[in-house]
Amino acid sequence: MSEKPLRDEDGNPILPVRLSRRGFLVRAGALGLATMPLGAFLAACGQSTGDSGANGEMAKLRKGGTVTFAIDGTNGVLDPALYTTLGDWMAVDCVCRGLTTIDFASTTPQMAMAESSKLSDDGKTLTLTLRQGITFHDGSAFTAQDCVRTFNRQLNDQDASRPASSTRPMRGSLNRNVAGLRAVDERTFEITLNQPDVTFLSRLTDIACRIVSGAALDKYGAGVGQHLVGAGPFKLVSAVPQQAITMEAYGGYFGGSPLIDRLVLQQMTDPSALNAGLQSGQITASSFVAHSSAKSLSANPKVTVYKTPRLVAIFLLMNVTDPALSDIRVRQAVNLCVDRAQIAQNAFFGYADEPKGYLLPAEHVGYDESLADLSAYDVNRAKQLVAEAGATGRAVELIAQNNNWYPKAAQILEENLKAIGLVPTVKLFDPGTFSGKVFDLKAHQIALWERNGYVPDPEDLANNMLSSSGSYANRGTGHATLDPAVVKQLDSLLVKGLQTSDPNGRKAAYTEAQRFFAEKFMAISMVAHAQNIVVSSADLGGVNAAALSSQRMQLEKAGFKQ
């Protein structure tokens, strides 16, 4: 690496392609990550993973068969460097795997394509030893250079294998904390951090950090999203935009060949059709079932409706760079007018909670009800703030998706905004179109959005959503553009959570950071914490419903009952 490295538009160092593979961070269990099993969370909340969950599955499963899994949509582009739809993202999760993983039975990261790791005494150098004998779907051997190629195509501005439309989510996933990469040898990958981060092992489990075959990048370049090659349990057969993604089991998967032969991710945007498909057996499983269908499906013995944690954060992104919302009093008013109880009941049919811990759900480590006032409902105070800001009668636009709970929630929010003197317009978009608008400050004023608990750690919500280095701050709300001194102060509070190993200390750090953000910025208004409704055929066993409830596809152990 040069003494004066080139920097990207955010001031982050550009990593030279010659630097090699990536090192992973762990030191004999000393990361300080919370290790309470999700099962304990669920028990505390009166929930369980269901009798067909990945844990405790006792039924004998046979080999063979096809699982047809209904998804929200597909643009036929499967690339860890480019988020399009949840369905496409879930396909990436199947085709590729990362250096580490989380099984959602606990919050503890585990080794995956790496077999061990070591952290330097100063917490800034991570050395990862790679698992031997892994081959990608194209037959090429997995080496440290594949990690270098995978990470540099998102971290290096000059990498030609990244599509022009790439959102480069790895940068946010890794908190823009990578100072350098090096492949020590074929099996040893080293990564240097700008600052210690006790959550880095969990960060590497994110889908954006999935390892892609270097040979495939050489062959397909920026078009690898249509020809994705990984080392996951399923290999890509075809991806047809707005239709389906077809994959088949990979017998050479390092975790053991999947039981099912084929996995089809079928786009299905009509809730009634999905409901009928599950009951008829045309659809084997889905995590996109309408909340309104959950109770009726529970009464059908042909299907299993799983009880899962409410880890999905539902919120409004308010664009602080737009003149209509530049006054914090208007944003505070929007936050105060949200009728969260009505949305939880009428949009989610009771399968959601009001956000009493601001960003963090009740099942989450770090949850703190002392933050409940940040999501208060006070229409009179909201009206007063709108008047004080001179915004009475001001037009505002709310955008949302056109599927699942979004339309009903948007309808309620429209009435909430009218009640405080604003003049709202609601526009609904298909998932593929909508995702592009959410992270474009020129394309939205207020956006109704969700974040699944991809990594069950408070950092995944609090840090990723608030840090000035993240996509939310730069493209979702624009709050990274506000007073630099205040932004810097917020970032310093978030760093405490990243560098504190004591659970109580971490909770206090994230509580302080969230309250500071709400009081100084209020660019994110929490709406609810919900659960995705996970349903499968009663004949399907080995389903990791806890993972699916966070839209993580861990179906390699699923199979049909004998």
Side-chain angles (χ1 to χ4, degrees), residues 378-385 420:
D378 191 337
V379 175
N380 290 332
R381 176 56 180 157
K383 286 182 180 179
Q384 182 181 351
L385 286 168
I420 62 171

Side-chain angles (χ1 to χ4, degrees), residues 12 40 47 81-83 114 144 164 234 255 271-272 309 314 393 395 426 436 497 500-501 513 530:
N12 302 296
Q47 296 180 318
L82 176 63
Y83 175 86
F234 297 93
S272 298
I314 312 297
V426 174
T500 302
S501 59

Side-chain angles (χ1 to χ4, degrees), residues 251-320:
Y253 176 53
F254 63 88
S257 178
L259 288 174
I260 59 174
D261 295 328
R262 185 167 287 236
L263 175 60
V264 178
L265 305 189
Q266 178 71 51
Q267 175 173 305
M268 187 161 284
T269 58
D270 184 342
S272 298
L274 173 54
N275 192 25
L278 285 164
Q279 295 186 81
S280 69
Q282 179 185 5
I283 299 297
T284 317
S286 182
S287 55
F288 293 92
V289 176
H291 294 80
S292 58
S293 301
K295 290 183 179 179
S296 62
L297 285 171
S298 297
N300 189 333
K302 293 183 179 181
V303 301
T304 299
V305 179
Y306 300 87
K307 295 180 180 179
T308 56
R310 294 177 177 177
L311 298 176
V312 185
I314 312 297
F315 49 90
L316 295 174
L317 292 173
M318 291 182 276
N319 183 355
V320 304

Side-chain angles (χ1 to χ4, degrees), residues 192-258:
T192 304
L193 303 179
N194 292 309
Q195 60 186 12
D197 181 352
V198 300
T199 71
F200 205 80
L201 189 62
S202 291
R203 289 181 183 280
L204 289 177
T205 70
D206 195 90
I207 297 174
C209 301
R210 294 299 200 232
I211 306 299
V212 180
S213 162
L217 291 174
D218 289 337
K219 182 176 181 179
Y220 301 110
V224 77
Q226 287 80 39
H227 309 276
L228 186 63
V229 178
F234 297 93
K235 56 184 178 180
L236 180 64
V237 174
S238 65
V240 182
Q242 283 72 58
Q243 293 187 37
I245 302 164
T246 301
M247 296 167 282
E248 62 183 28
Y250 176 48
Y253 176 53
F254 63 88
S257 178

Side-chain angles (χ1 to χ4, degrees), residues 420-437:
I420 62 171
L422 296 175
V423 182
T425 298
V426 174
K427 291 185 178 180
L428 303 179
F429 300 91
D430 66 87
T433 301
F434 180 69
S435 62
K437 292 182 176 294

